[in-house]
Amino acid sequence: MERLFSRSKQEHPEPVQAEVHGEIPSWMEGVLIRNGPGMHKIGETEYNHWFDGMALLHSFTIKNGDVFYRSKYLRSDTYNRNVEANRIVVSEFGTMAYPDPCKNIFAKAFSYLSHTIPEFTDNCLINIIRNGEDYYASSEVNFIRKIDPQTLETLEKVDYSKYAAVNLATAHPHYDSAGNTLNMGTSIVNKGKTKYILFQIPPSAPGSKPKGGKPFLKNLEVVCSIPSRSLLQPSYSHSFGISENYILFIEQPFKLDILKMATAYVRGVSWASCLVFHKDEKTWIHLVDRRSKKEVPAKFCTDALVVFHHVNAYEENGHLVLDLISYKDNSLYDLFYLKNLDGNFENTAKIPSVPCCKRFVVPLQFDKDAEVNSNLVHLPSTTASAVKEKDDSVYCQPEILCEGIELPRINYDYNGRKYRYIYAVEVKWTPVPTQIIKFDILSKRKLHWEEEHCWPAEPVFVPSPNAKEEDDGIILSTIVTTQPQKPPFLLILDAKTFKERARATVNVELHLDLHGIFIPEKDLKTEQETEVEGGHESKGCPSNKTNNIPETSLLAKQQMEGL
């Protein structure tokens, strides 16, 4: 277990050819890029939390049935400064960096002062997102870093705050049919107000491409802003929801205390310690009408909860259906402090709060004179309710879809639409994912993939060409192994049956990651020949495919619950 959470992973900037077992669908070409922490020790200094590590990008490029792996550290300003100093000099969310003890008292005093309103790190280690034709490493702050999806080279640094008054932004934007990228950010005490800002970035168009140093964000549009219910304690936000006509934002009682954050450096504590869960407060569900660009005036609330990941949202018969993964508190974050990641982590680490996939239903059209305590939900397909309160707010009680799943993904062609299938990892009572699941919302049945000594990453759905059904496609997941003699691999599953189609094993030390994206070959910039193709041709690498999946290496269980 220690090797999985080792303090520094080696990068592989040149393509490494994988050994393919099974047969990759002939139409399957493109690159899967993943992002996550890879370096936790620099010189004699070490981060406190696993989420603080230096971002390590890695990719699997699929071309003509062959697979090539590469990985490269994001060359952020943070990375460069830390490596140059051979110590941690830039603070991360769970680790506060302090000036060199050899610095004079004036330099130390200036450092303390500058941390009162901090400039956050550009160590974008959470996700890979798209803006127009370009791709960026992202986290939860105002910085994103453009990357070359084919070489993983780090390109320019982009600052949202130069174009909208945001200090933080979610790691999970949405993309609409027009090619716009939509995201939510938090503006902290700007002009005496703290608010949540929905902004939209249009796709690349004539005049919007970077020319003469003009960045694409010059066309950023602020769609709407939502006042925070607390000036000095805005809600934490990792993702949000979107339907055909609405944007949904969860203002949860898991909050960032601004006063604590402003004094964290002086007090010698991390910014993470400034996140506080208020268990006795309500959670508020905000709706923004995409047509009017205004917040819906009705007030919807539910019990206190913590949300990291939305699943999907859609409208049906005057209701808005919202599916998300929630926790009863914020204890999950504490499990990933490095002091807790010892050799017995897999067996000893237990989640005090099990993730739960919940369905909320918000009535979009209801009688304002409806009786108090009446249920405003009239969908026969759900047990979720929305009850009118005495103060005219609407209290939403969810339906429990299933428990113990995280890192949910769907067929994104159904984003904002009525859908049926969720792909996720199953975590149950431990934060270690041991299974990939396909959950059928309609039948409540699950399909599983599981193999001994394997930790699967977030499953990514890739639709088949000309797909006619929602689950017509494949699932990609990078698999980290807990046994040194068992090589890690890229797993390719049939999304409909959950049977293994192929795997591509690589003789590298694969790192645990967080989120990523699959980019089809047609969406890669054709004017640049990929280094992978060039390396393949120049070295004359033979194909390493085999026609059959070796039974001796397959310990996979294919289960179908309820069938």
Side-chain angles (χ1 to χ4, degrees):
M1 206 62 53
E2 290 178 352
R3 76 186 187 93
L4 296 180
F5 291 106
S6 62
R7 302 311 185 237
S8 182
K9 296 290 184 181
Q10 181 182 358
E11 63 177 9
H12 298 273
E14 297 301 320
V16 177
Q17 188 165 17
E19 183 176 352
V20 178
H21 304 277
E23 187 172 350
I24 298 174
S26 59
W27 55 266
M28 184 70 198
E29 294 197 346
V31 57
L32 173 71
I33 306 179
R34 307 287 302 168
N35 194 357
M39 182 187 298
H40 292 87
K41 186 173 183 180
I42 304 172
E44 298 301 316
T45 58
E46 191 169 322
Y47 289 110
N48 296 327
H49 201 279
W50 185 64
F51 293 161
D52 292 343
M54 293 289 91
L56 179 57
L57 311 177
H58 65 143
S59 67
F60 286 88
T61 300
I62 303 171
K63 183 75 172 176
N64 297 325
D66 288 322
V67 178
F68 295 87
Y69 173 84
R70 75 166 79 215
S71 63
K72 197 168 187 178
Y73 279 102
L74 186 75
R75 264 46 177 195
S76 61
D77 292 349
T78 297
Y79 175 93
N80 292 332
R81 288 177 60 188
N82 286 342
V83 170
E84 182 180 359
N86 196 33
R87 62 187 295 269
I88 298 171
V89 295
V90 179
S91 298
E92 297 293 337
F93 209 62
T95 306
M96 195 65 78
Y98 290 91
D100 191 317
C102 297
K103 285 187 177 181
N104 61 45
I105 191 170
F106 297 104
K108 292 181 182 179
F110 179 78
S111 182
Y112 276 83
L113 181 63
S114 66
H115 275 76
T116 302
I117 302 178
E119 177 172 309
F120 293 111
T121 172
D122 68 336
N123 178 37
C124 303
L125 79 159
I126 295 179
N127 203 1
I128 303 295
I129 67 173
R130 173 171 55 85
N131 282 303
E133 298 178 352
D134 299 321
Y135 297 88
Y136 296 79
S138 72
S139 60
E140 296 178 337
V141 299
N142 53 297
F143 295 117
I144 55 176
R145 293 298 305 234
K146 185 178 177 181
I147 64 168
D148 184 321
Q150 300 179 74
T151 66
L152 303 184
E153 179 185 357
T154 304
L155 304 175
E156 62 257 33
K157 177 180 178 179
V158 175
D159 184 354
Y160 285 137
S161 68
K162 294 186 182 299
Y163 307 92
V166 294
N167 306 94
L168 304 167
T170 80
H172 295 277
H174 283 280
Y175 313 100
D176 65 18
S177 58
N180 298 298
T181 300
L182 293 95
N183 208 346
M184 292 286 298
T186 303
S187 179
I188 300 174
V189 198
N190 178 51
K191 298 180 180 178
K193 297 179 180 179
T194 295
K195 53 191 175 182
Y196 312 107
I197 294 179
L198 170 68
F199 60 93
Q200 176 175 291
I201 303 169
S204 299
S208 67
K209 280 194 173 273
K211 291 182 179 179
K214 293 182 179 180
F216 73 96
L217 280 180
K218 67 186 181 71
N219 291 323
L220 180 149
E221 174 193 1
V222 173
V223 177
C224 180
S225 64
I226 301 170
S228 170
R229 297 183 71 86
S230 172
L231 175 66
L232 298 176
Q233 292 187 338
S235 167
Y236 169 81
S237 179
H238 184 75
S239 64
F240 64 104
I242 186 171
S243 68
E244 181 181 0
N245 296 300
Y246 296 90
I247 288 95
L248 303 94
F249 171 66
I250 302 295
E251 188 174 16
Q252 56 189 321
F254 184 34
K255 301 178 180 181
L256 180 61
D257 190 310
I258 303 304
L259 291 180
K260 287 184 176 181
M261 187 179 74
T263 59
Y265 194 76
V266 176
R267 292 184 293 117
V269 299
S270 69
W271 291 320
S273 68
C274 306
L275 277 170
V276 181
F277 179 62
H278 302 266
K279 64 179 181 179
D280 297 322
E281 294 187 11
K282 294 179 179 179
T283 297
W284 296 90
I285 304 173
H286 297 278
L287 304 186
V288 173
D289 190 316
R290 298 179 64 182
R291 297 155 297 189
S292 67
K293 300 181 180 181
K294 294 181 179 180
E295 183 180 3
V296 173
K299 301 301 179 184
F300 305 100
C301 65
T302 189
D303 296 326
L305 50 75
V306 171
V307 177
F308 296 104
H309 297 115
H310 286 245
V311 181
N312 197 13
Y314 62 90
E315 298 155 42
E316 182 178 12
N317 296 333
H319 301 76
L320 196 149
V321 178
L322 169 63
D323 297 343
L324 49 78
I325 309 293
S326 74
Y327 297 80
K328 66 180 182 181
D329 58 37
N330 64 317
S331 55
L332 178 67
Y333 186 91
D334 292 339
L335 290 178
F336 286 93
Y337 276 101
L338 292 182
K339 64 183 179 182
N340 298 326
L341 304 182
D342 58 20
N344 297 318
F345 177 76
E346 188 174 17
N347 298 318
T348 61
K350 302 298 179 184
I351 302 178
S353 173
V354 177
C356 185
C357 185
K358 295 180 178 179
R359 166 162 291 183
F360 291 89
V361 178
V362 177
L364 296 172
Q365 303 166 2
F366 60 91
D367 185 358
K368 301 299 187 295
D369 297 322
E371 293 184 10
V372 173
N373 296 326
S374 61
N375 183 11
L376 305 176
V377 173
H378 303 292
L379 288 180
S381 60
T382 182
T383 59
S385 63
V387 176
K388 184 179 179 181
E389 303 275 77
K390 291 181 180 179
D391 60 358
D392 287 335
S393 65
V394 178
Y395 170 69
C396 299
Q397 186 72 10
E399 173 189 358
I400 306 300
L401 296 180
C402 64
E403 293 186 336
I405 68 170
E406 250 296 2
L407 303 177
R409 297 291 290 261
I410 65 170
N411 178 344
Y412 202 76
D413 290 341
Y414 287 76
N415 192 52
R417 299 167 50 196
K418 190 172 184 178
Y419 74 117
R420 182 170 178 174
Y421 302 109
I422 301 173
Y423 307 96
V425 296
E426 193 156 41
V427 292
K428 294 185 177 179
W429 294 101
T430 167
V432 177
T434 57
Q435 298 180 348
I436 307 171
I437 73 152
K438 173 186 180 181
F439 179 67
D440 186 331
I441 297 171
L442 188 62
S443 69
K444 301 298 189 292
R445 295 171 180 170
K446 293 180 184 177
L447 294 179
H448 292 261
W449 180 93
E450 182 181 14
E451 188 165 310
E452 191 176 4
H453 306 306
C454 289
W455 286 8
E458 166 195 63
V460 176
F461 179 90
V462 182
S464 301
N466 305 313
K468 292 182 172 59
E469 296 181 294
E470 181 184 339
D471 59 350
D472 188 359
I474 62 172
I475 295 296
L476 299 176
S477 178
T478 56
I479 309 296
V480 173
T481 58
T482 62
Q483 296 296 314
Q485 67 272 20
K486 185 181 180 71
F489 54 95
L490 172 67
L491 176 68
I492 301 177
L493 298 177
D494 184 292
K496 189 176 292 291
T497 65
F498 245 48
K499 295 185 181 297
E500 183 171 331
R501 298 286 298 270
R503 66 175 60 188
T505 62
V506 286
N507 189 24
V508 300
E509 190 181 6
L510 204 65
H511 72 290
L512 298 169
D513 59 38
L514 294 170
H515 299 291
I517 190 173
F518 178 77
I519 309 171
E521 177 70 22
K522 63 181 178 62
D523 293 337
L524 293 170
K525 293 185 177 180
T526 56
E527 65 269 17
Q528 297 179 350
E529 183 176 338
T530 66
E531 286 188 15
V532 170
E533 287 181 278
H536 185 192
E537 292 172 357
S538 63
K539 295 177 183 178
C541 297
S543 172
N544 283 341
K545 296 190 297 295
T546 60
N547 292 326
N548 298 306
I549 302 171
E551 293 184 5
T552 55
S553 67
L554 272 183
L555 300 172
K557 291 192 305 182
Q558 298 293 340
Q559 297 181 358
M560 195 178 296
E561 293 184 359
L563 292 178

